[in-house]
Amino acid sequence: MEHEAVRTLLLDAARRAVVFLEGLDERRVFPEEAALSRLDEALAGALPDEPSDAQDVLARIDELGSPAAVASAGGRYFGFVTGGTLPAALATNWLASAWDQNAFSHASAPGVARFEQAALRWTKQALDLPESCAGTFVTGATMASFTGLAAARHAVLRQVGWDVGRRGLFGAPEIRVVVGGEAHATIFKVLAMLGLGRERVVVVPADDQGRMRVDALPALEGPTIVCLQAGNVNSGAFDPAAEIVPRVKAHGAWVHVDGAFGLWARASTRLAELGRGLELADSWAVDAHKWLNVPYDCAIALVRDAEALRSAFRISGAYLPQGDRAEAIDVTPESSRRARGLDVWAALKSLGRRGIAELVERHCRQAATFAAGLRAAGHEVLNDVVLNQVVVAFGDAARTDAVIAALQRAGVCWCGATIWRGRRAMRISVSSWATTDEDVRAALASIDDAARAR
Ligand SMILES: *Cc1c(COP(=O)(O)O)cnc(C)c1O
């Protein structure tokens, strides 16, 4: 392709993206059934024999795909704690894709390695976590927990003289894994991937907000990993780290924190009390693609014991870099990888300390507005709204489901169903930079319409 054709194509992509984003306010949040059927028909064909013009490919994707996209980049998507994408992070992501850097080491991408080290340092500063921690960028909080718990598995077995990297888990001393009754589903997936077993865990019962009950902690002995949660996906509640961490660490246990979205509360002095004590843990998983509002797929794993992290993931090969420098490939499950830390650097730079705090505080205030509006309209808010999450029921399960279906059909906003403490409910998650107070008002009005008609 000539320079001129490439330039035309890339500018066309940017133009189409802008048209898409600017149209989000005017369209339904979830795509029309017709747009999805059109896509089904268009995608049914076999792999073509002949090449296509790149600009035609892009136009086809835009025509078919943009109407089929969920408007989660807009201000009225409240499903799944997804966050939107900050303009600075989106633009940086495009530029970094154009760079096409393989960010596995200084030898393959020296500039990116420097940006990522700086982004890790800023992340620790934003979250008020120890400056000396090691860390890495991975695809999501699932892989960040995988990373932290792989380091944990190495460290707790090393304490009893077992090198799990060399010998595996065959014949190894047992590791006791402790989780809360409301641990996120991904923790169990991670435990299965690490050979620690989904069902071999000790489950500590949760209280009425989903927090691990301190009075129900088991007696600890032998190699132990305790998984805490900062930000329950329904209620937003935090496990009481200040009470739990010192107690379990006194027994030599490793404490891992799943803080997928909630850990960002530590960036706000007003919200920091929720996450007090989490700085005493050994490893932390936190998403960037949720509350920090960078593009998918991007999360951060932080580990206090840099040697444990390195031992879990180091690699060797004749052509691979040797030396003392921190290389992504030695502390990350992946090898070849995109420059995902750059998106984080851009988000942190564009927000600054004050901007991050304002973002999370605004979402918590908007969640409180939702809760107050729902209560005033006679609906039942089921959780203490301490963060950005609201759980609401509209009578019994059948009526709640009917209201959710009507709300989703109306298309003004999108909220999903959940089950909270055995009860069918709807979950509202405020996590996009794009959400305005007007969006909250419009969503509340639409919820009310949906509820009145049932
Ligand atoms: C979303 C979430 C996860 C999984 O994160 P991914 O980025 O989807 O891998 C884990 N734990 C909690 C509490 C979450 O909210």
Side-chain angles (χ1 to χ4, degrees):
M1 241 170 130
E2 299 289 330
H3 280 326
E4 190 54 34
V6 173
R7 158 191 284 261
T8 306
L9 175 69
L10 295 184
L11 292 177
D12 189 35
R15 187 190 58 79
R16 287 176 188 276
V18 169
V19 169
F20 171 78
L21 291 174
E22 288 181 347
L24 290 177
D25 280 347
E26 314 303 324
R27 54 168 282 185
R28 294 171 48 81
V29 174
F30 199 81
E32 306 268 7
E33 204 43 56
L36 297 173
S37 329
R38 214 157 5 100
L39 189 56
D40 283 337
E41 274 169 45
L43 296 179
L47 171 68
D49 288 329
E50 300 304 323
S52 294
D53 178 76
Q55 225 173 330
D56 292 344
V57 173
L58 181 70
R60 187 117 176 96
I61 287 175
D62 189 21
E63 279 152 27
L64 291 167
S66 292
V70 174
S72 50
R76 296 191 308 274
Y77 186 80
F78 304 106
F80 304 104
V81 207
T82 59
T85 299
L86 288 165
L90 176 60
T92 298
N93 179 276
W94 290 351
L95 183 60
S97 290
W99 289 352
D100 188 34
Q101 300 293 285
N102 187 345
F104 78 83
S105 75
H106 284 79
S108 61
V112 170
R114 287 165 169 81
F115 269 112
E116 291 203 326
Q117 284 306 314
L120 275 176
R121 198 159 37 79
W122 283 0
T123 301
K124 288 180 271 187
Q125 289 168 2
L127 298 174
D128 195 18
L129 293 177
E131 186 86 38
S132 58
C133 290
T136 185
F137 295 95
V138 290
T139 52
T142 305
M143 284 311 289
S145 277
F146 176 85
T147 304
L149 290 172
R153 188 182 71 161
H154 177 89
V156 300
L157 287 178
R158 183 185 54 196
Q159 269 177 18
V160 290
W162 187 271
D163 182 343
V164 71
R166 268 194 320 121
R167 305 173 73 180
L169 286 174
F170 302 100
E174 288 226 358
I175 300 174
R176 173 183 283 218
V177 180
V178 179
V179 303
E182 277 278 332
H184 195 264
T186 53
I187 289 294
F188 298 95
K189 177 173 174 173
V190 165
L191 292 174
M193 289 197 286
L194 286 167
L196 296 174
R198 293 172 196 269
E199 292 179 9
R200 257 189 76 274
V201 293
V202 179
V203 179
V204 182
D207 69 9
D208 62 346
Q209 297 304 311
R211 296 172 294 224
M212 194 184 269
R213 269 178 42 204
V214 183
D215 63 325
L217 278 173
L220 301 179
E221 53 182 309
T224 303
I225 300 170
V226 178
C227 300
L228 297 186
Q229 177 166 259
N232 178 288
V233 277
N234 285 306
S235 69
F238 283 51
D239 288 338
E243 292 166 78
I244 294 176
V245 184
R247 262 172 76 167
V248 302
K249 291 212 48 162
H251 293 278
W254 177 292
V255 178
H256 173 74
V257 178
D258 173 6
F261 60 100
L263 207 58
W264 291 105
R266 287 177 59 90
S268 152
T269 45
R270 239 186 285 165
L271 296 165
E273 178 59 23
L274 278 174
R276 195 165 56 82
L278 291 170
E279 69 282 358
L280 305 171
D282 298 288
S283 56
W284 302 263
V286 60
D287 266 316
H289 59 209
K290 288 181 177 172
W291 221 352
L292 190 61
N293 280 248
V294 308
Y296 299 103
D297 37 25
C298 190
I300 302 140
L302 294 169
V303 177
R304 185 185 295 277
D305 179 346
E307 186 43 41
L309 177 64
R310 217 179 124 80
S311 298
F313 293 109
R314 69 154 185 262
I315 189 169
S316 59
Y319 63 90
L320 290 171
Q322 319 280 325
D324 298 333
R325 265 199 304 211
E327 300 290 10
I329 195 170
D330 284 320
V331 292
T332 307
E334 299 98 356
S335 298
S336 298
R337 52 191 286 281
R338 76 178 179 94
R340 56 174 61 86
L342 210 71
D343 301 0
V344 171
W345 192 89
L348 295 176
K349 172 73 176 158
S350 80
L351 291 168
R353 235 185 223 292
R354 188 157 57 80
I356 309 166
E358 278 172 5
L359 184 76
V360 298
E361 286 168 8
R362 168 153 48 92
H363 292 154
C364 296
R365 176 175 58 72
Q366 288 171 330
T369 304
F370 264 117
L374 292 164
R375 284 197 178 107
H379 309 307
E380 209 182 336
V381 174
L382 302 182
N383 64 319
D384 292 347
V385 180
V386 293
L387 201 67
N388 63 330
Q389 302 289 112
V390 182
V391 184
V392 56
F394 305 94
D396 64 13
R399 182 159 185 273
T400 297
D401 279 342
V403 173
I404 295 169
L407 180 70
Q408 292 178 353
R409 264 197 312 278
V412 173
C413 66
W414 199 94
C415 305
T418 188
I419 292 173
W420 177 239
R421 308 192 70 219
R423 179 131 182 234
R424 193 71 170 161
M426 184 176 89
R427 178 168 70 142
I428 301 170
S429 198
V430 190
S431 56
S432 173
W433 72 277
T435 298
T436 62
D437 291 349
E438 182 46 41
D439 288 323
V440 175
R441 271 192 293 277
L444 270 172
S446 187
I447 293 170
D448 225 34
D449 282 349
R452 204 155 339 156
R454 294 310 101 192

